[in-house]
Amino acid sequence: MSINSEQLLLHIENAKQGVQASFSFLLDAFWNDVYQFQLKRAKNDFEAEEITIKSFSRAFDKIDSFNSEYSFRSWLLAISKNAHIDQIRKQKNDWKIATQAQESSMANTVLDHAPTPEDQLITKQNLAELLLHIKKLKPHYQKMIQLRYFQEMSYKEMTEELNEPMNNIKVKLLRAKKLLLISLNAVKK
């Protein structure tokens, strides 16, 4: 996709104003660059895709900080590089925690894994609270979460259902999850 610099700057400015069509344009225009960059680093399709989604999410969250004197592609790749580094750090930390948890749980192995009535009640209450927070989201974000997690649709099925490009579906779903997490964390404070 060939992009002239005026068109690119116009879409960046529109994205700074919150115009969804410009976010979609930027995502479509630079998805392959960021994905290929991550594929070389991660050497794993799934991981490259996840980091690419995180990269765009971070970039779109911080689009106001983009300085048009620099290359947008380079800015995106720098964000993507940092997202990959964060992912590696998180994986190392998760591995350490999992190892420690496994060591400590070996001493406390319980044979009965069935939930107690108390556990079932807590699960119901947590689900009800989660549904309330989902209802606070904008309708299109509610729809994303509904299709993916309650109807268990694949990205491809969601693309067909909503008639949108898969990249948009992934970024919107990531954004919906992030907004839901913010809403849930606000209650805990």
Side-chain angles (χ1 to χ4, degrees), residues 4-189:
N4 70 43
S5 60
E6 289 178 20
Q7 182 184 25
L8 176 61
L9 289 175
L10 176 65
H11 280 290
I12 291 169
E13 287 306 312
N14 287 343
K16 287 180 179 182
Q17 302 303 316
V19 177
Q20 284 299 317
S22 290
F23 284 117
S24 295
F25 173 85
L26 295 170
L27 182 73
D28 292 340
F30 292 98
W31 176 269
N32 287 337
D33 291 336
V34 177
Y35 177 75
Q36 291 302 322
F37 175 76
Q38 282 305 327
L39 195 56
K40 288 177 188 172
R41 295 174 69 89
K43 295 180 178 35
N44 174 309
D45 290 340
F46 177 76
E47 192 173 331
E49 190 171 317
E50 287 296 311
I51 297 170
T52 300
I53 291 168
K54 286 178 186 176
S55 300
F56 276 99
S57 178
R58 286 182 186 178
F60 290 165
D61 282 347
K62 299 184 183 313
I63 192 102
D64 288 333
S65 69
F66 173 71
N67 183 342
S68 59
E69 294 176 14
Y70 301 102
S71 161
F72 187 74
R73 181 181 180 278
S74 298
W75 182 72
L76 269 175
L77 293 179
I79 290 171
S80 187
K81 177 182 161 202
N82 291 333
H84 185 247
I85 291 169
D86 291 347
Q87 179 79 11
I88 291 169
R89 286 181 183 148
K90 183 182 181 305
Q91 286 172 346
K92 285 182 181 177
N93 192 32
D94 288 349
W95 181 79
K96 286 179 187 176
I97 291 170
T99 303
Q100 291 169 350
Q102 184 180 12
E103 289 171 357
S104 67
S105 72
M106 289 176 134
N108 301 323
T109 304
V110 178
L111 295 177
D112 185 11
H113 295 293
T116 65
E118 292 84 12
D119 291 338
Q120 292 173 344
L121 180 62
I122 290 169
T123 301
K124 273 186 172 178
Q125 289 172 339
N126 287 341
L127 181 59
E129 182 181 347
L130 179 63
L131 291 173
L132 285 174
H133 285 280
I134 290 172
K135 288 183 179 184
K136 292 179 185 176
L137 298 175
K138 291 182 181 178
H140 61 277
Y141 288 136
Q142 289 179 27
K143 181 87 172 171
M144 291 290 158
I145 290 175
Q146 173 71 26
L147 293 176
R148 182 71 175 163
Y149 297 107
F150 292 97
Q151 294 182 22
E152 299 182 347
M153 284 189 173
S154 68
Y155 287 126
K156 185 177 184 199
E157 291 169 326
M158 289 174 71
T159 299
E160 293 166 0
E161 173 82 15
L162 300 172
N163 197 26
E164 287 191 45
M166 189 177 297
N167 295 340
N168 291 7
I169 299 288
K170 290 177 181 178
V171 170
K172 285 181 182 178
L173 184 60
L174 185 67
R175 183 77 178 135
K177 289 190 299 188
K178 187 174 185 178
L179 291 171
L180 182 58
L181 183 62
I182 289 168
S183 177
L184 288 168
N185 285 338
V187 171
K188 291 179 183 177
K189 290 182 180 178

